[in-house]
């Protein structure tokens, strides 16, 4: 199983809503990532979890709150988002968190903030 | 600072023609280099990677890439393109951030394939 599974595939939320994105992998990977991809742009790193601990936060606004409940799951909690936060949110995992380790991506969650 | 440049925003080729997508990187040490492909509205699929050793690397779907340190390049090639290869292609460098894994992507090249 070399899959990273993200749910939901699509999400529309209002600016006062609270929602969560979910990511799951069963490859035994010990590093998990959130990337954000705006339309017609490359993905940009948001967070890195290493062995279930937050290791990198790329100066992401606090309205995005990551959580890693266990080694297979990664959540991204969303609250009070802005329309400019509309994007494709990609989860990825790698065997370990070291530089250059091959990352596997999920299909993404297409988020629209209205 | 680490960076990746993909000079071509759009490329159109005929089915069956050869393909070369360009990628240049800026990185202080020996880079970890990747090519990913993304179909519309989908996630990223790894085509191939370079860590060290042989500078010509083979990937999935018939793709290959050549690392040239003197030119700071990692160009992607395919001898005969299929219509299903139409997608967005991203070159990326595996840059360390505090020792942790961080991919820095180029802007991408959108490939269109004419029948």
């Amino acid at each position: 199983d070399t899959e990273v599974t993200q749910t939901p595939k699509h999400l529309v939320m209002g600016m006062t809503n609270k929602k969560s994105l979910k990511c799951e992998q069963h490859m035994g990977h010990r590093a998990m990532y959130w990337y954000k991809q705006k339309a017609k742009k490359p993905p940009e790193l948001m967070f890195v979890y290493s062995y279930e601990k937050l290791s990198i936060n790329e100066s992401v606004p606090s309205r995005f709150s990551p959580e890693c409940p266990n080694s297979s799951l990664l959540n991204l909690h969303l609250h009070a988002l802005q329309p400019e936060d509309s994007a494709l949110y990609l989860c990825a995992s790698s065997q370990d968190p070291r530089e250059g380790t091959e990352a596997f991506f999920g299909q993404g969650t297409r988020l629209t903030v209205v | 600072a680490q960076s990746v440049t993909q000079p071509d925003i759009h490329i159109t080729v005929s089915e069956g023609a050869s393909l070369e997508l360009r990628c240049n990187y800026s990185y202080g040490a020996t880079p970890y280099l990747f090519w990913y492909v993304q179909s519309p509205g989908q996630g990223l699929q790894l085509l191939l990677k370079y860590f060290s050793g042989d500078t010509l690397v083979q990937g999935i779907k018939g793709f290959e890439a050549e690392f040239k340190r003197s030119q700071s390049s990692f160009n992607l090639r395919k001898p005969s393109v299929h219509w299903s290869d139409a997608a967005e292609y991203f070159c990326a460098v595996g840059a360390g951030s505090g020792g942790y894994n961080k991919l820095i992507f180029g802007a991408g090249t959108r490939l269109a394939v004419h029948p």
Side-chain angles (χ1 to χ4, degrees):
Chain A
D1 183 2
T2 58
E3 278 196 0
V4 176
T5 303
Q6 291 187 243
T7 55
K9 287 186 169 44
H10 300 275
L11 178 64
V12 179
M13 63 183 290
M15 289 188 283
T16 59
N17 291 160
K18 287 185 180 181
K19 297 287 184 183
S20 297
L21 310 184
K22 298 185 183 301
C23 175
E24 190 168 6
Q25 57 88 13
H26 295 289
M27 295 178 278
H29 288 177
R30 302 315 303 268
M32 297 186 77
Y33 312 82
W34 282 114
Y35 281 80
K36 176 180 179 178
Q37 185 178 22
K38 298 281 283 183
K40 302 187 187 304
K41 296 291 186 182
E44 294 184 337
L45 182 67
M46 300 174 72
F47 302 104
V48 177
Y49 269 84
S50 169
Y51 296 91
E52 301 162 48
K53 293 185 178 170
L54 182 62
S55 302
I56 295 179
N57 177 340
E58 291 283 288
S59 302
V60 178
S62 60
R63 57 185 184 270
F64 295 91
S65 176
E67 177 196 22
C68 189
N70 59 56
S71 61
S72 299
L73 293 174
L74 185 66
N75 299 322
L76 186 63
H77 302 299
L78 314 173
H79 174 54
L81 294 193
Q82 303 297 311
E84 58 265 29
D85 296 321
S86 299
L88 181 68
Y89 288 84
L90 293 162
C91 175
S93 70
S94 63
Q95 187 169 9
D96 64 61
R98 288 175 299 172
E99 176 185 349
T101 309
E102 178 178 338
F104 295 84
F105 283 82
Q107 295 298 295
T109 293
R110 174 76 58 190
L111 174 68
T112 303
V113 182
V114 297
Chain B
Q2 305 97 334
S3 66
V4 177
T5 302
Q6 293 180 246
D8 305 304
I9 298 174
H10 295 281
I11 283 185
T12 300
V13 300
S14 298
E15 191 169 17
S18 63
L19 172 70
E20 183 169 28
L21 302 182
R22 296 184 291 165
C23 172
N24 293 98
Y25 67 89
S26 173
Y27 192 70
T30 299
Y32 302 98
L33 294 163
F34 306 84
W35 275 100
Y36 284 87
V37 61
Q38 185 177 36
S39 297
Q42 300 296 310
L44 283 78
Q45 182 181 25
L46 180 67
L47 290 175
L48 46 78
K49 58 185 183 288
Y50 172 78
F51 288 169
S52 65
D54 194 347
T55 58
L56 185 64
V57 293
Q58 302 296 319
I60 62 171
K61 304 185 179 186
F63 286 94
E64 66 177 26
E66 186 171 14
F67 171 66
K68 293 185 178 180
R69 183 187 300 276
S70 62
Q71 300 177 17
S72 297
S73 69
F74 187 56
N75 294 348
L76 182 71
R77 300 194 294 249
K78 187 170 185 179
S80 178
V81 170
H82 188 263
W83 64 266
S84 60
D85 293 323
E88 186 94 26
Y89 291 79
F90 291 99
C91 181
V93 63
S97 180
Y100 293 102
N101 198 14
K102 174 179 179 177
L103 287 171
I104 294 177
F105 291 88
T109 297
R110 181 163 297 278
L111 174 66
V113 180
H114 279 178

